[in-house]
Amino acid sequence: MYIGVDYYPEHWPKERWATDARLMKKAGFNVVRLAEFDWVNIEPADGQFNFEMWDEALGVLRSQGIHAILCTPTAVMPAWVAAKHPETLAMQKDGTRIVWGVRKNNCFSSGTYRFLSQRVTRAMAGHFAETPNVIGWQTDNEFGSPECFCDSCRKSFQHWLRAKYGTLAELNRAWGTHFWGHRVQSWEEITLPVDRGSHNPGACLDWQRHFSWLNVRFQREQVQILREVCPKHFVTHNFMGLYQELDYYDLARDLDFVSWDNYPVWGPPETRYRASMAADLMRGLKRKNFWIMEQTAGPCGWGTFGRNVRPGELRSVAYQQLAHGADGQLWFRWRTCTAGREQYWHGLLGHDGKALRRYEEAAQVATEYRRLEKELAGTTVKADVAIVYDYQSLWATRIQPAFAKNDYVGAVGRYYDALLRAGVNVDMVNTDADLSAYRSVLAPRLYVLPDELAEKLEAYVRAGGTLLGDGRLGVKDATGLCHARTLPGRLSECLGIEIPEYEALPDETSYGVTGRGRMEGRFAAIHYADWTTPRRAEALAKFDEWHVDAYAAVTRNAFGKGAAWYVGTVFKEPSFYDLLIRELLKDAGVAPEIVPPEGVEVSVRSAGRKRVAFLVNHTEEEKTVSLPRRMTDLLTGASGLREVRLGRHGVAVLK
Ligand code: GAL
C-alpha cells in the first residue's frame, strides 16, 4: 500500500530537502507526487530540457526509500509558450484569450499545444524511465478546463460532427434543426453553442461530448508516449470525484487505475457521504480500486480558507477512502507554501516547516495502514446494489433540467445516502455495465434512454432484478430529441405505468403524499410531479390534492421474475428514502451485515471468503455499533467483540 504526500521540492531551498525526506520516512510515507506544474524549469526554452534539479531531488527521496509519481507538467504552460504561441491560450466566450498567469489555460485542440505536450512528455519519460524510485505518472492535473471557443475548436467540432453523423441530413435530423429554421447546409456553417440555456439542446450535448473527447485525446497522446517509453511505470490521472464536465469513464479507459483529489466538505454526515459516493464512482470508472492523489491536509482556500481539521478528521477521511477501495493515498500537501496563490492551502507542515498535529495524525494513519496491509491485500468492495451513473443524462439534465431544482448529482445522492444509511455497499456503474450481477439497480434521472438501454433494463427485471426509476426517466434519445412516446416510453410495460402529464412545482408548492402498505406514511412531494397512472403496477403512494389524487407518486410492478419501482416526484423527507430503500432491498433479498447507527458508515472490502468491515463515525458523538457475530478489531487487536464503541470521528476495522 502506498501512502505519502504531494511534494514540491522546487518551492524550497535544496538544503531543506533532506530534512523533508527524513520527516516523510519517519511518518511512514513511501511515496510522493512531484513536478505537477514545473514545465518551465524542465523546458526553460523551446526544446531545451533540464532535469538536474529533479534528479537531485529524486536522489534525496530515494535515500529515504521514498518512491515518486511524476506528472506531465502540461497544466501550466511556461510564459515563453504563451508569448511565442498565443493561439495555445484558450479563447473565452467573449472572443478574448485567457491572460497567461493562472493555470489550466490552454486550448486542447491547438496543434501547437498538443505538439509541445507530447514533446515534453517524451523528454521526461525518456529521462526518468530508468530512475529507480520513479514508479508511475500522473497525466496533467485535473482535466476538464478551460472550455475554449477559438477557431481551431470550432473546426475541430465540425470535423468531429462530420465523423459522427456522416451526412448533414443525419446531423439535421439528430439535432432537430427543423425547429427555428436551424437547418445547416454545410459543415462550416455549424457554430459553437456558447449558451447552454438557449442553443439547440442536441448541439449543446454534442459540444459537451466534443469537449470531453478533446481532453481524453490530449491525455491519450501523453499516455501512448508513457507506455512506449516507460513500460514499467503505471499511468494515472487525478480525477475530481463528482466533477461534471468530462465523461470520466472515457478519461479512465486509457489509464492503469483512477486516482482522485478528495477535499471533503465538513459538516453533518450527509455532506461527508459525498466523498463516499465519489469514491464509489471513482472505483466504478474502471471497476477496480483507486488511489487518492490529493487528500485534504488542513484548512484550504485560495483567498480565504475554511475551518481547520479537527482531531481525528484526517484519520477518518483516510479510512473512509480506504473502506471504499483506495489502495494508495497522498496528502495534499507536504508543507504550506509561502508563495503564490496557494499560501492558504495548508499542508501537514506549517509555513514554518514544523511538523504539526496534522503531520502526527497522518503518521498514525501510515503506521496503522502497515498493520492492515496483509489483511487488505487483494480485497475490493463488492456490492449487490448498483446505481447507474450516466454522464449523458447528467449533461442533458444540465442543458434542460426540466424543473428548477433538478440537479443530477443531488438526485443520485438522495438514494445513495439512504443506501449508505442502510449499511449496504454500492457500485456506481456506467450504462454499459453488466447488470446481471446485481440484485438491485437504481437508475435515477436516466433522462437519456436509447432503446437498447431500455431493453437491457427490461431484460434485467424480467430475469429477476429489482429496478428503480424516477422522474424524467427516458425522456430523451441519445441525440437529445424527445422520444415521441408516452412516458416512460419503452419502459412502460416493465414499470406497469403511463405518465401522460407532469409538472414542475414552484418552490412554495408541495403536495401531500399518502403511502399505503409497504410505503405507509405521510410525506411531502416537492420540485416535480409525474401524474402517473398505474396500468399494471400497484400504487404504493398517492398524491393528496384534489387535482392529482387520481395519480400515483410511487409504484411497484411485478414483472417477469423481478420488480420495477417508480418514484414520480422528489420527497422532502430523507425518511421517505430510508423506507423506500428498505423495501427495495427486501424485494432484492439484500440484507446488510451491520446496520450502522445514525452518522456511522459501514463498508466491506472482501476477497474470496475474506471480509474486512470498516466503520467510520462521521459525528462528534460517541457511537456504539452492535456486531452480527464475534469480531476482531484489526487496529486495536481486541477480539471476540459483539459491539464496538467509536469515539468522535472514530474508526474501526473488523474481521
Ligand atoms: C487541486 C490541485 C492542486 C492544488 C489544490 C489546491 O485541485 O490539483 O494542484 O492546486 O487543488 O488548490
Side-chain angles (χ1 to χ4, degrees):
M1 238 147 74
Y2 284 101
I3 183 152
V5 278
D6 300 299
Y7 183 44
Y8 298 86
E10 71 275 29
H11 294 174
W12 308 102
K14 268 187 202 173
E15 299 69 52
R16 170 73 194 195
W17 296 351
T19 308
D20 284 339
R22 257 199 318 274
L23 275 172
M24 286 176 198
K25 182 172 181 186
K26 191 167 156 235
F29 296 168
N30 59 357
V31 68
V32 290
R33 183 197 64 186
L34 302 172
E36 205 188 10
F37 302 117
D38 205 40
W39 191 349
V40 71
N41 290 321
I42 287 165
E43 189 181 357
D46 204 348
Q48 289 171 31
F49 297 95
N50 181 348
F51 300 105
E52 235 169 77
M53 187 226 106
W54 287 107
D55 287 339
E56 213 176 310
L58 280 159
V60 173
L61 292 160
R62 186 159 61 240
S63 70
Q64 297 296 333
I66 294 168
H67 298 94
I69 298 160
L70 297 175
C71 300
T72 59
T74 42
V76 177
M77 67 173 80
W80 66 257
V81 172
K84 198 162 175 180
H85 309 286
E87 79 283 6
T88 61
L89 286 164
M91 184 174 279
Q92 303 166 101
K93 280 186 187 167
D94 65 3
T96 62
R97 295 206 182 262
I98 291 183
V99 177
W100 183 87
V102 195
R103 63 174 181 179
K104 301 293 303 170
N105 47 19
N106 64 282
C107 160
F108 282 101
S109 75
S110 155
T112 308
Y113 201 72
R114 288 166 61 200
F115 165 78
L116 294 170
S117 146
Q118 292 171 52
R119 191 176 64 181
V120 69
T121 300
R122 190 172 288 282
M124 279 185 85
H127 185 82
F128 295 112
E130 299 301 330
T131 304
N133 54 332
V134 172
I135 54 171
W137 295 84
Q138 171 192 305
T139 55
D140 201 273
N141 173 61
E142 296 185 340
F143 277 119
S145 63
E147 214 178 349
C148 174
F149 302 91
C150 73
D151 271 355
S152 157
C153 284
R154 176 157 162 229
K155 288 207 182 81
S156 168
F157 186 46
Q158 292 164 348
H159 280 133
W160 184 88
L161 292 168
R162 194 173 191 151
K164 175 170 179 177
Y165 292 110
T167 64
L168 282 166
E170 182 50 21
L171 172 114
N172 281 306
R173 187 208 60 76
W175 284 5
T177 57
H178 48 286
F179 182 76
W180 275 354
H182 280 162
R183 188 162 64 85
V184 285
Q185 303 183 77
S186 79
W187 298 100
E188 292 71 35
E189 283 174 4
I190 297 169
T191 55
L192 300 186
V194 288
D195 180 0
R196 218 186 252 156
S198 39
H199 275 260
N200 178 302
C204 292
L205 190 54
D206 273 336
W207 173 238
Q208 187 76 48
R209 289 170 174 146
H210 170 260
F211 177 64
S212 182
W213 172 81
L214 279 181
N215 279 264
V216 171
R217 180 183 65 175
F218 185 84
Q219 172 176 263
R220 182 170 303 143
E221 288 167 349
Q222 296 190 349
V223 173
Q224 278 165 351
I225 294 167
L226 295 169
R227 298 240 179 267
E228 176 197 324
V229 185
C230 305
K232 289 186 272 187
H233 297 162
F234 62 73
V235 185
T236 184
H237 174 70
N238 57 336
F239 291 68
M240 290 183 278
L242 300 170
Y243 182 71
Q244 307 189 355
E245 299 305 323
L246 304 180
D247 183 331
Y248 267 179
Y249 297 107
D250 270 355
L251 193 68
R253 204 154 288 132
D254 292 319
L255 303 171
D256 291 298
F257 58 85
V258 166
S259 313
W260 76 286
D261 296 348
N262 181 28
Y263 295 100
V265 180
W266 308 122
E270 262 69 18
T271 64
R272 296 164 195 248
Y273 294 167
R274 282 299 154 276
S276 299
M277 179 164 138
D280 288 341
L281 177 62
M282 296 299 98
R283 196 183 65 253
L285 298 181
K286 290 188 80 73
R287 315 297 301 281
K288 69 198 269 195
N289 288 355
F290 57 89
W291 281 36
I292 299 293
M293 196 56 91
E294 299 180 14
Q295 179 106 280
T296 202
C300 34
W302 277 11
T304 57
F305 47 83
R307 79 155 169 78
N308 200 359
V309 290
R310 298 180 183 171
E313 271 182 336
L314 287 187
R315 182 167 174 260
S316 82
V317 296
Y319 276 94
Q320 181 182 23
Q321 293 304 315
L322 185 66
H324 287 265
D327 278 347
Q329 299 202 46
L330 288 83
W331 303 98
F332 187 90
R333 51 191 288 142
W334 175 240
R335 177 172 172 183
T336 316
C337 196
T338 54
R341 233 327 124 190
E342 293 184 5
Q343 290 163 340
Y344 292 150
W345 209 283
H346 293 82
L348 297 177
L349 275 57
H351 285 132
D352 57 8
K354 288 188 187 149
L356 298 166
R357 171 187 64 89
R358 303 194 295 257
Y359 166 90
E360 299 300 341
E361 197 167 312
Q364 180 193 346
V365 172
T367 313
E368 291 174 347
Y369 272 20
R370 291 289 159 250
R371 232 178 284 156
L372 298 173
E373 203 160 25
K374 245 174 85 200
E375 297 288 350
L376 292 178
T379 63
T380 187
V381 177
K382 301 215 174 84
D384 290 323
V385 180
I387 292 181
V388 175
Y389 193 92
D390 174 34
Y391 287 97
Q392 310 305 313
S393 292
L394 185 162
W395 292 338
T397 300
R398 288 199 317 184
I399 293 161
Q400 269 182 315
F403 55 97
K405 294 263 164 62
N406 191 12
D407 137 50
Y408 182 89
V409 174
V412 172
R414 282 189 200 97
Y415 301 101
Y416 183 87
D417 291 350
L419 287 161
L420 213 70
R421 289 192 294 262
V424 298
N425 283 354
V426 182
D427 274 352
M428 306 278 276
V429 300
N430 200 358
T431 50
D432 64 3
D434 173 13
L435 301 179
S436 64
Y438 297 104
R439 302 258 187 99
S440 181
V441 171
L442 288 77
R445 292 294 179 279
L446 199 56
Y447 195 26
V448 173
L449 187 69
D451 287 351
E452 317 78 71
L453 181 55
E455 279 153 25
K456 174 172 160 170
L457 292 172
E458 190 187 272
Y460 167 74
V461 181
R462 198 186 291 282
T466 302
L467 176 73
L468 178 133
D470 69 0
R472 311 316 292 150
L473 169 68
V475 172
K476 296 201 166 218
D477 72 9
T479 66
L481 297 175
C482 287
H483 287 297
R485 300 173 184 140
T486 307
L487 288 174
R490 284 296 261 259
L491 283 176
S492 277
E493 213 196 309
C494 170
L495 288 158
I497 55 172
E498 271 185 15
I499 306 166
E501 293 186 71
Y502 43 78
E503 62 179 325
L505 303 180
D507 268 355
E508 63 281 6
T509 307
S510 70
Y511 290 159
V513 171
T514 303
R516 292 182 294 123
R518 296 177 65 177
M519 291 303 298
E520 182 78 45
R522 304 287 317 270
F523 309 100
I526 52 173
H527 302 340
Y528 175 80
D530 276 320
W531 295 19
T532 303
T533 306
R535 290 290 177 225
R536 273 227 223 63
E538 186 188 348
L540 294 176
K542 290 177 91 174
F543 295 110
D544 296 340
E545 274 68 14
W546 67 271
H547 60 291
V548 278
D549 65 4
Y551 301 105
V554 181
T555 59
R556 177 188 178 277
N557 192 37
F559 182 80
K561 293 185 188 149
W565 292 67
Y566 189 80
V567 177
T569 183
V570 176
F571 284 93
K572 195 170 169 191
E573 303 85 1
S575 61
F576 166 84
Y577 293 94
D578 288 333
L579 178 58
L580 177 78
I581 291 301
R582 194 184 75 195
E583 292 307 311
L584 201 75
L585 294 180
K586 247 189 234 164
D587 268 10
V590 176
E593 198 179 329
I594 298 173
V595 181
E598 215 181 311
V600 174
E601 75 161 289
V602 184
S603 179
V604 178
R605 284 179 67 150
S606 58
R609 296 179 57 193
K610 177 156 75 175
R611 291 171 71 77
V612 181
F614 291 79
L615 301 175
V616 181
N617 180 4
H618 289 297
T619 76
E620 302 198 335
E621 291 149 36
E622 188 171 293
K623 296 279 178 175
T624 304
V625 186
S626 27
L627 305 176
R629 58 192 143 79
R630 297 203 177 280
M631 298 180 93
T632 301
D633 185 330
L634 295 172
L635 293 174
T636 63
S639 60
L641 301 173
R642 287 309 305 256
E643 62 172 37
V644 267
R645 281 222 189 93
L646 303 169
R648 297 186 181 105
H649 303 298
V651 304
V653 184
L654 302 157
K655 196 169 81 158

